[in-house]
Amino acid sequence: MHQVPSDPTQAVIVGDFDAFSPDQLFDYFTRPELLTQWWPKEATVDLRVGGSFAMSWPEQNWHLRGQYLAVEPGRRLSFTWNWDHEPVNHGLQTVDLWILRMHDTGSRLGIFHGPFQANEADQEARQGVIEGWIHFGMHLGGLVPGAVD
């Protein structure tokens, strides 16, 4: 996983998941029993356009919530993003995940997260988002040895 240079209003991260088919990668973002293996401690998902999700990390009292904007299994997932615990409101953010088939079994994941404003607080938040997606993307890939670049 790595950051792709982009306009400061958006965070763009890309990674190759050699051991995950597009459908498997999609499932790891949408099935609570798979999500909790690499990202939140708890997750609820209503996987449909207009459906909502809630993820939580109880030990930190962190809660991430959003609503699905696009659901295309094995191809695309788009959702809104809102942390309950953040003291600064960064406005409505959207995450777009694009999954492309690579080779016979692998996938390339593109993450587009934004928008961010030019102010210092938003740019710090953008950097945190980039670092978070890379960290957790590597954690996801680490579920299968040699699965992510």
Side-chain angles (χ1 to χ4, degrees):
M1 300 280 306
H2 62 276
Q3 177 186 2
V4 175
S6 64
D7 184 277
T9 63
Q10 189 167 195
V12 180
I13 300 93
V14 173
D16 290 345
F17 291 78
D18 295 335
F20 292 84
S21 72
D23 288 332
Q24 289 170 321
L25 193 56
F26 185 87
D27 286 348
Y28 272 91
F29 278 92
T30 58
R31 291 180 46 198
E33 69 275 14
L34 298 175
L35 262 168
T36 56
Q37 289 182 25
W38 67 276
W39 195 12
K41 298 294 182 189
E42 300 172 356
T44 59
V45 170
D46 179 10
L47 188 62
R48 62 185 173 82
V49 173
S52 61
F53 69 86
M55 299 180 200
S56 64
W57 294 257
E59 54 279 348
Q60 289 98 349
N61 198 28
W62 292 356
H63 304 277
L64 177 63
R65 302 177 199 282
Q67 184 175 30
Y68 292 108
L69 305 172
V71 176
E72 299 175 32
R75 205 168 150 245
R76 179 175 180 226
L77 186 66
S78 180
F79 49 91
T80 60
W81 175 279
N82 185 46
W83 286 105
D84 288 358
H85 69 277
E86 288 188 343
V88 176
N89 182 348
H90 297 285
L92 183 63
Q93 292 186 328
T94 301
V95 177
D96 282 307
L97 305 177
W98 289 88
I99 303 169
L100 303 172
R101 178 171 297 285
M102 299 287 295
H103 320 296
D104 290 333
T105 60
S107 301
R108 175 165 290 163
L109 173 65
I111 302 170
F112 302 83
H113 188 140
F116 296 94
Q117 302 300 315
N119 63 61
E120 186 176 340
D122 258 30
Q123 289 305 300
E124 286 178 14
R126 178 180 176 268
Q127 186 58 40
V129 160
I130 291 166
E131 292 169 7
W133 279 119
I134 291 170
H135 171 81
F136 284 105
M138 297 301 286
H139 192 105
L140 168 59
L143 295 175
V144 179
V148 66
D149 290 325

Short mmCIF file of all heavy atoms in Angstrom, two decimals, residues 40-80:
data_model
loop_
_atom_site.label_atom_id
_atom_site.label_comp_id
_atom_site.label_asym_id
_atom_site.label_seq_id
_atom_site.Cartn_x
_atom_site.Cartn_y
_atom_site.Cartn_z
N PRO A 40 -11.89 -2.91 12.52
CA PRO A 40 -12.52 -2.59 13.80
C PRO A 40 -12.64 -3.83 14.69
O PRO A 40 -12.54 -4.96 14.22
CB PRO A 40 -13.90 -2.09 13.39
CG PRO A 40 -14.22 -2.90 12.17
CD PRO A 40 -12.89 -3.05 11.45
N LYS A 41 -12.90 -3.58 15.96
CA LYS A 41 -13.16 -4.69 16.88
C LYS A 41 -14.60 -5.18 16.73
O LYS A 41 -14.89 -6.34 16.95
CB LYS A 41 -12.93 -4.25 18.33
CG LYS A 41 -11.51 -3.84 18.61
CD LYS A 41 -10.59 -5.02 18.49
CE LYS A 41 -9.17 -4.59 18.82
NZ LYS A 41 -8.20 -5.61 18.55
N GLU A 42 -15.51 -4.26 16.37
CA GLU A 42 -16.93 -4.59 16.19
C GLU A 42 -17.43 -3.90 14.94
O GLU A 42 -17.00 -2.79 14.63
CB GLU A 42 -17.74 -4.12 17.40
CG GLU A 42 -17.32 -4.74 18.71
CD GLU A 42 -18.00 -4.12 19.92
OE1 GLU A 42 -18.77 -3.13 19.77
OE2 GLU A 42 -17.75 -4.60 21.04
N ALA A 43 -18.36 -4.56 14.22
CA ALA A 43 -18.91 -3.95 13.01
C ALA A 43 -20.33 -4.45 12.76
O ALA A 43 -20.64 -5.62 12.99
CB ALA A 43 -18.03 -4.30 11.81
N THR A 44 -21.18 -3.53 12.32
CA THR A 44 -22.50 -3.89 11.81
C THR A 44 -22.62 -3.28 10.41
O THR A 44 -22.13 -2.17 10.17
CB THR A 44 -23.64 -3.37 12.71
OG1 THR A 44 -23.54 -1.95 12.81
CG2 THR A 44 -23.58 -3.98 14.09
N VAL A 45 -23.25 -4.03 9.52
CA VAL A 45 -23.31 -3.62 8.12
C VAL A 45 -24.70 -3.90 7.56
O VAL A 45 -25.23 -5.00 7.71
CB VAL A 45 -22.25 -4.42 7.30
CG1 VAL A 45 -22.44 -4.21 5.82
CG2 VAL A 45 -20.84 -4.05 7.74
N ASP A 46 -25.28 -2.90 6.91
CA ASP A 46 -26.50 -3.06 6.13
C ASP A 46 -26.09 -2.75 4.68
O ASP A 46 -26.19 -1.61 4.23
CB ASP A 46 -27.57 -2.10 6.64
CG ASP A 46 -28.87 -2.20 5.84
OD1 ASP A 46 -29.02 -3.13 5.02
OD2 ASP A 46 -29.74 -1.32 6.04
N LEU A 47 -25.60 -3.77 4.00
CA LEU A 47 -24.94 -3.60 2.70
C LEU A 47 -25.94 -3.44 1.56
O LEU A 47 -26.36 -4.40 0.93
CB LEU A 47 -24.00 -4.78 2.43
CG LEU A 47 -23.12 -4.63 1.20
CD1 LEU A 47 -22.18 -3.43 1.34
CD2 LEU A 47 -22.32 -5.91 0.96
N ARG A 48 -26.31 -2.19 1.34
CA ARG A 48 -27.17 -1.80 0.23
C ARG A 48 -27.03 -0.30 0.07
O ARG A 48 -26.65 0.40 1.02
CB ARG A 48 -28.63 -2.18 0.51
CG ARG A 48 -29.20 -1.49 1.72
CD ARG A 48 -30.61 -1.96 2.06
NE ARG A 48 -31.05 -1.39 3.32
CZ ARG A 48 -31.55 -0.16 3.47
NH1 ARG A 48 -31.70 0.64 2.44
NH2 ARG A 48 -31.90 0.29 4.67
N VAL A 49 -27.28 0.19 -1.10
CA VAL A 49 -27.25 1.64 -1.30
C VAL A 49 -28.28 2.25 -0.36
O VAL A 49 -29.43 1.82 -0.30
CB VAL A 49 -27.54 2.01 -2.77
CG1 VAL A 49 -27.67 3.52 -2.93
CG2 VAL A 49 -26.43 1.48 -3.68
N GLY A 50 -27.83 3.20 0.45
CA GLY A 50 -28.68 3.81 1.47
C GLY A 50 -28.59 3.12 2.81
O GLY A 50 -29.03 3.67 3.81
N GLY A 51 -28.01 1.93 2.85
CA GLY A 51 -27.81 1.22 4.11
C GLY A 51 -26.68 1.85 4.89
O GLY A 51 -25.86 2.61 4.36
N SER A 52 -26.61 1.53 6.17
CA SER A 52 -25.59 2.15 7.01
C SER A 52 -24.64 1.09 7.55
O SER A 52 -24.90 -0.11 7.49
CB SER A 52 -26.24 2.91 8.16
OG SER A 52 -26.99 2.03 8.96
N PHE A 53 -23.53 1.59 8.09
CA PHE A 53 -22.58 0.73 8.79
C PHE A 53 -22.14 1.45 10.05
O PHE A 53 -22.23 2.68 10.14
CB PHE A 53 -21.36 0.38 7.91
CG PHE A 53 -20.45 1.54 7.65
CD1 PHE A 53 -19.43 1.87 8.54
CD2 PHE A 53 -20.61 2.33 6.52
CE1 PHE A 53 -18.59 2.96 8.30
CE2 PHE A 53 -19.77 3.41 6.26
CZ PHE A 53 -18.77 3.72 7.16
N ALA A 54 -21.69 0.67 11.01
CA ALA A 54 -21.10 1.22 12.23
C ALA A 54 -19.94 0.32 12.61
O ALA A 54 -20.06 -0.91 12.61
CB ALA A 54 -22.13 1.28 13.35
N MET A 55 -18.82 0.94 12.89
CA MET A 55 -17.63 0.22 13.34
C MET A 55 -17.19 0.84 14.65
O MET A 55 -17.32 2.05 14.84
CB MET A 55 -16.53 0.32 12.30
CG MET A 55 -16.89 -0.27 10.97
SD MET A 55 -15.55 -0.12 9.81
CE MET A 55 -16.43 -0.30 8.27
N SER A 56 -16.65 0.00 15.54
CA SER A 56 -16.21 0.56 16.81
C SER A 56 -14.96 -0.12 17.32
O SER A 56 -14.69 -1.28 17.00
CB SER A 56 -17.33 0.50 17.85
OG SER A 56 -17.65 -0.84 18.14
N TRP A 57 -14.23 0.66 18.10
CA TRP A 57 -13.04 0.25 18.82
C TRP A 57 -13.34 0.59 20.28
O TRP A 57 -13.01 1.68 20.75
CB TRP A 57 -11.82 1.01 18.32
CG TRP A 57 -11.45 0.68 16.90
CD1 TRP A 57 -10.42 -0.13 16.52
CD2 TRP A 57 -12.06 1.14 15.70
NE1 TRP A 57 -10.36 -0.21 15.14
CE2 TRP A 57 -11.37 0.57 14.61
CE3 TRP A 57 -13.15 1.97 15.41
CZ2 TRP A 57 -11.70 0.79 13.28
CZ3 TRP A 57 -13.49 2.19 14.08
CH2 TRP A 57 -12.77 1.61 13.04
N PRO A 58 -14.00 -0.33 21.01
CA PRO A 58 -14.49 -0.01 22.36
C PRO A 58 -13.41 0.46 23.33
O PRO A 58 -13.67 1.36 24.14
CB PRO A 58 -15.11 -1.33 22.84
CG PRO A 58 -15.43 -2.07 21.59
CD PRO A 58 -14.38 -1.67 20.59
N GLU A 59 -12.21 -0.10 23.26
CA GLU A 59 -11.17 0.30 24.22
C GLU A 59 -10.76 1.76 24.06
O GLU A 59 -10.31 2.39 25.00
CB GLU A 59 -9.96 -0.64 24.16
CG GLU A 59 -9.32 -0.83 22.81
CD GLU A 59 -10.03 -1.84 21.90
OE1 GLU A 59 -10.89 -2.60 22.34
OE2 GLU A 59 -9.70 -1.85 20.71
N GLN A 60 -10.91 2.33 22.86
CA GLN A 60 -10.62 3.76 22.66
C GLN A 60 -11.88 4.62 22.67
O GLN A 60 -11.80 5.84 22.55
CB GLN A 60 -9.90 3.98 21.31
CG GLN A 60 -8.49 3.48 21.27
CD GLN A 60 -8.42 2.10 20.62
OE1 GLN A 60 -9.41 1.44 20.39
NE2 GLN A 60 -7.21 1.64 20.35
N ASN A 61 -13.06 3.97 22.73
CA ASN A 61 -14.34 4.66 22.61
C ASN A 61 -14.43 5.41 21.28
O ASN A 61 -14.90 6.55 21.22
CB ASN A 61 -14.60 5.59 23.81
CG ASN A 61 -16.06 5.96 23.91
OD1 ASN A 61 -16.95 5.21 23.50
ND2 ASN A 61 -16.34 7.14 24.45
N TRP A 62 -13.99 4.76 20.20
CA TRP A 62 -14.06 5.32 18.84
C TRP A 62 -15.18 4.64 18.08
O TRP A 62 -15.36 3.41 18.16
CB TRP A 62 -12.76 5.08 18.09
CG TRP A 62 -11.57 5.83 18.59
CD1 TRP A 62 -11.51 6.76 19.59
CD2 TRP A 62 -10.24 5.69 18.10
NE1 TRP A 62 -10.23 7.21 19.75
CE2 TRP A 62 -9.43 6.57 18.84
CE3 TRP A 62 -9.65 4.91 17.12
CZ2 TRP A 62 -8.06 6.70 18.63
CZ3 TRP A 62 -8.29 5.03 16.90
CH2 TRP A 62 -7.51 5.92 17.64
N HIS A 63 -15.91 5.44 17.31
CA HIS A 63 -17.01 4.93 16.51
C HIS A 63 -16.98 5.60 15.14
O HIS A 63 -16.97 6.82 15.05
CB HIS A 63 -18.35 5.20 17.18
CG HIS A 63 -18.41 4.65 18.57
ND1 HIS A 63 -18.71 3.34 18.83
CD2 HIS A 63 -18.17 5.23 19.77
CE1 HIS A 63 -18.67 3.13 20.13
NE2 HIS A 63 -18.33 4.27 20.73
N LEU A 64 -16.95 4.78 14.11
CA LEU A 64 -16.99 5.25 12.73
C LEU A 64 -18.33 4.83 12.14
O LEU A 64 -18.70 3.66 12.24
CB LEU A 64 -15.83 4.63 11.93
CG LEU A 64 -15.76 4.95 10.44
CD1 LEU A 64 -15.55 6.44 10.21
CD2 LEU A 64 -14.64 4.15 9.80
N ARG A 65 -19.02 5.79 11.55
CA ARG A 65 -20.33 5.51 10.98
C ARG A 65 -20.43 6.10 9.58
O ARG A 65 -19.74 7.06 9.25
CB ARG A 65 -21.43 6.13 11.85
CG ARG A 65 -21.42 5.65 13.28
CD ARG A 65 -22.48 6.36 14.12
NE ARG A 65 -22.20 6.25 15.53
CZ ARG A 65 -22.44 5.18 16.27
NH1 ARG A 65 -22.95 4.11 15.72
NH2 ARG A 65 -22.16 5.16 17.56
N GLY A 66 -21.30 5.51 8.81
CA GLY A 66 -21.53 6.03 7.48
C GLY A 66 -22.69 5.35 6.79
O GLY A 66 -23.34 4.47 7.35
N GLN A 67 -22.88 5.78 5.55
CA GLN A 67 -23.96 5.26 4.73
C GLN A 67 -23.38 4.87 3.37
O GLN A 67 -22.51 5.57 2.82
CB GLN A 67 -25.03 6.34 4.56
CG GLN A 67 -26.25 5.89 3.82
CD GLN A 67 -27.31 6.98 3.79
OE1 GLN A 67 -27.01 8.17 3.81
NE2 GLN A 67 -28.57 6.56 3.74
N TYR A 68 -23.86 3.75 2.84
CA TYR A 68 -23.37 3.27 1.54
C TYR A 68 -23.99 4.07 0.40
O TYR A 68 -25.20 4.26 0.35
CB TYR A 68 -23.66 1.78 1.37
CG TYR A 68 -22.85 0.94 2.33
CD1 TYR A 68 -23.45 0.30 3.41
CD2 TYR A 68 -21.48 0.80 2.16
CE1 TYR A 68 -22.71 -0.45 4.29
CE2 TYR A 68 -20.73 0.05 3.05
CZ TYR A 68 -21.34 -0.57 4.11
OH TYR A 68 -20.60 -1.32 4.98
N LEU A 69 -23.12 4.53 -0.49
CA LEU A 69 -23.55 5.30 -1.65
C LEU A 69 -23.52 4.46 -2.92
O LEU A 69 -24.27 4.72 -3.86
CB LEU A 69 -22.64 6.52 -1.83
CG LEU A 69 -22.53 7.43 -0.61
CD1 LEU A 69 -21.46 8.49 -0.84
CD2 LEU A 69 -23.87 8.05 -0.29
N ALA A 70 -22.62 3.48 -2.99
CA ALA A 70 -22.51 2.57 -4.14
C ALA A 70 -22.05 1.21 -3.62
O ALA A 70 -21.15 1.14 -2.79
CB ALA A 70 -21.53 3.10 -5.17
N VAL A 71 -22.69 0.17 -4.11
CA VAL A 71 -22.33 -1.20 -3.72
C VAL A 71 -22.31 -2.03 -5.00
O VAL A 71 -23.36 -2.33 -5.58
CB VAL A 71 -23.35 -1.79 -2.72
CG1 VAL A 71 -23.02 -3.24 -2.41
CG2 VAL A 71 -23.42 -0.95 -1.45
N GLU A 72 -21.11 -2.36 -5.46
CA GLU A 72 -20.92 -3.18 -6.66
C GLU A 72 -19.96 -4.31 -6.28
O GLU A 72 -18.74 -4.13 -6.35
CB GLU A 72 -20.35 -2.35 -7.80
CG GLU A 72 -21.25 -1.20 -8.22
CD GLU A 72 -20.61 -0.30 -9.27
OE1 GLU A 72 -19.82 -0.82 -10.09
OE2 GLU A 72 -20.89 0.90 -9.24
N PRO A 73 -20.49 -5.45 -5.83
CA PRO A 73 -19.64 -6.52 -5.32
C PRO A 73 -18.47 -6.87 -6.26
O PRO A 73 -18.64 -6.97 -7.48
CB PRO A 73 -20.60 -7.70 -5.18
CG PRO A 73 -21.92 -7.05 -4.90
CD PRO A 73 -21.91 -5.80 -5.77
N GLY A 74 -17.29 -6.96 -5.63
CA GLY A 74 -16.08 -7.30 -6.38
C GLY A 74 -15.52 -6.19 -7.24
O GLY A 74 -14.52 -6.36 -7.92
N ARG A 75 -16.14 -5.02 -7.17
CA ARG A 75 -15.72 -3.92 -8.05
C ARG A 75 -15.60 -2.56 -7.37
O ARG A 75 -14.60 -1.87 -7.52
CB ARG A 75 -16.74 -3.83 -9.18
CG ARG A 75 -16.17 -3.23 -10.40
CD ARG A 75 -17.09 -3.40 -11.59
NE ARG A 75 -16.80 -2.23 -12.40
CZ ARG A 75 -17.66 -1.29 -12.66
NH1 ARG A 75 -18.89 -1.37 -12.24
NH2 ARG A 75 -17.31 -0.26 -13.37
N ARG A 76 -16.64 -2.16 -6.64
CA ARG A 76 -16.65 -0.80 -6.08
C ARG A 76 -17.50 -0.74 -4.82
O ARG A 76 -18.54 -1.39 -4.73
CB ARG A 76 -17.22 0.17 -7.11
CG ARG A 76 -17.28 1.60 -6.58
CD ARG A 76 -17.74 2.57 -7.64
NE ARG A 76 -17.76 3.90 -7.08
CZ ARG A 76 -18.77 4.75 -7.24
NH1 ARG A 76 -19.81 4.43 -7.96
NH2 ARG A 76 -18.71 5.94 -6.69
N LEU A 77 -17.04 0.07 -3.88
CA LEU A 77 -17.79 0.36 -2.66
C LEU A 77 -17.57 1.83 -2.35
O LEU A 77 -16.43 2.29 -2.32
CB LEU A 77 -17.29 -0.52 -1.50
CG LEU A 77 -18.07 -0.45 -0.20
CD1 LEU A 77 -19.49 -1.01 -0.39
CD2 LEU A 77 -17.35 -1.22 0.89
N SER A 78 -18.64 2.55 -2.14
CA SER A 78 -18.55 3.98 -1.81
C SER A 78 -19.42 4.23 -0.59
O SER A 78 -20.53 3.71 -0.49
CB SER A 78 -19.03 4.82 -2.99
OG SER A 78 -18.95 6.19 -2.70
N PHE A 79 -18.88 5.04 0.35
CA PHE A 79 -19.62 5.30 1.58
C PHE A 79 -19.20 6.63 2.19
O PHE A 79 -18.11 7.14 1.94
CB PHE A 79 -19.42 4.16 2.60
CG PHE A 79 -17.99 3.75 2.83
CD1 PHE A 79 -17.23 4.34 3.83
CD2 PHE A 79 -17.42 2.75 2.05
CE1 PHE A 79 -15.91 3.94 4.05
CE2 PHE A 79 -16.11 2.34 2.27
CZ PHE A 79 -15.35 2.94 3.26
N THR A 80 -20.10 7.17 3.02
CA THR A 80 -19.76 8.36 3.79
C THR A 80 -18.97 7.93 5.01
O THR A 80 -18.95 6.75 5.38
CB THR A 80 -21.02 9.14 4.21
OG1 THR A 80 -21.85 8.30 5.00
CG2 THR A 80 -21.79 9.63 2.98
#
